[in-house]
Structures are given as structure tokens and as C-alpha cells.
Amino acid sequence: EVQLLESGGGLVQPGGSLRLSCAASGFTFSSYVMSWVRQAPGKGLEWVSTITGSGSITYYADSLKDRFTVSRDNSNNTLYLHMNNLRADDTAVYYCTKDRCSGCPGDYWGQGTLVTVSS
Amino acid sequence: EIVMTQSPATLSVSPGETATLSCRASQSVGSNLAWCQLKPGQAPRLLIYGASTRATGVPARFSGSGSGTEFTLSISSLQSEDFAVYYCQQYNNWPLGFGGGTKVEIK
């Protein structure tokens, strides 16, 4: 059974940093593209970033690529999202997804972790 | 950037009836269109990809159609567990993009 478990969310001050993790199980992690998608309170879904199975290629939403970095540790089946210089509008639930291919929609999603940026 | 527009924003439907949701792309996305379902407190769920292919385990009452710029998700014989928010997503071009969502509520 595919399982994706996000962690690392919480309350952070504007300008701060946070690292989200997504622990994956139930599939061969290194073989799959993974992504992050977020949902701000009362808003719709927003794609954040995608990383290929080897980690060699990454993609970002234009508005985030200077502050967010996606990475993965295939030896520990874990996906990461490093977020710097956080702003109030980064407040959202962050989901990790397992994708069928690069650029494909997530076929499995985690339950998400809430990031709140506030002073 | 391709802009995805969903309508209506809210759809009130009685259990057992059919819900029809629309999604429009600002330019052609071919058949690279997916639908997903969000319920409070649950992991989002992929329903449809390739505009019309049901994901693993998705009931046959969910069907997708369309290509190019106009897409439809139909949910027949609505059941209680189907009341949720539905999003379309284009994956034809980077950046990947979602519509604003349609909330299907009980009438």
C-alpha cells in the first residue's frame, strides 16, 4: 500500500525557514517522480515543485523558485521541501504526491502538513 | 502559463442525481487533464487522468470527457461520499496548473 506521510510543518515567523519532509513507503521510491502541491486557507490547489526519481531534474513554480528547494534522499525514501524567506502568503497545507511520470498528476497524495507564517 | 477555469463554483445536487462539472483551459492541453477530489481531513484523491481514464479503484459512476480546452467531469448516481470539492489540473505544460475548484454540496 502506498503511503505518504508529510511532517515538518508548524508556525514560523515571516522571513524564517522551514524544511518539510515526506516519508514514502509501499513503492520503489527512487523510480518515481514526486511533487509538492499546496493549498492556502480558503483557496484552491497550487503546484509548487516536482523532482525526478534520480533527483537530477527539478521544476518549480516561477514565483517560488528563488526561495524553495526540492530534494530527495532515495536511500531513506524521503522527499524534502526547503523553504526560505517565508511570507504570510506561504501559509498553506503542503501535500506531497507520487506522480506517474514527470509532469503527470499525482496518483497518490499524502494528508498534508500545515505551515503557518505569522508573527 | 495556462489558466484553468472551473464552473460552477458550487453545485447543489440531490443524492442519486447526476453532477456535471466543467473545466476550461486558456489554451489547448490536448488530453493532458486530470480531476481530483478533496475532502476535509483526507488525502486528496486522483479520479481521472488523460481526460477520461479512471484512476485505480475509482468507481464507474465517475466519468471524464473532453479534449483541447473544454472538459467535463460527470458523477452519476451521487452518493454521500461524493460530496466534496473537485479540481481539474492540466499537465500539458509547465507550470502545472489547477482550476479554482467546484464544491459539490447536498441539495
Side-chain angles (χ1 to χ4, degrees), chain B residues 17-21 35-39 45-49 51-65 72-87 102 104:
Chain B
E17 294 187 339
T18 296
T20 302
L21 290 66
W35 292 91
C36 64
Q37 177 192 63
L38 269 72
K39 295 182 186 179
R45 178 191 185 191
L46 176 68
L47 298 175
I48 301 285
Y49 63 92
S52 61
T53 303
R54 281 188 298 275
T56 302
V58 175
R61 64 179 182 272
F62 291 90
S63 64
S65 63
T72 299
L73 175 69
S74 296
I75 314 170
S76 61
S77 302
L78 268 162
Q79 301 188 7
S80 57
E81 61 264 32
D82 300 334
F83 293 96
V85 182
Y86 294 84
Y87 291 89
T102 292
V104 178

Side-chain angles (χ1 to χ4, degrees), chain A residues 36-114:
Chain A
W36 290 97
V37 175
R38 70 182 183 180
Q39 184 177 31
K43 303 292 186 181
L45 296 172
E46 179 185 17
W47 170 74
V48 172
S49 182
T50 295
I51 185 169
T52 56
S54 66
S56 61
I57 301 174
T58 56
Y59 303 87
Y60 296 94
D62 285 344
S63 61
L64 301 175
K65 61 184 176 183
D66 293 334
R67 300 186 296 119
F68 287 17
T69 302
V70 63
S71 63
R72 63 192 297 159
D73 180 349
N74 286 344
S75 62
N76 286 306
N77 294 344
T78 303
L79 174 72
Y80 299 103
L81 184 67
H82 306 257
M83 304 184 294
N84 296 319
N85 192 20
L86 283 161
R87 310 189 299 226
D89 61 0
D90 293 318
T91 294
V93 174
Y94 287 74
Y95 299 98
C96 70
T97 75
K98 165 187 170 292
D99 303 341
R100 295 171 56 250
C101 62
S102 183
C104 286
D107 56 356
Y108 289 92
W109 296 57
Q111 295 210 335
T113 186
L114 176 62

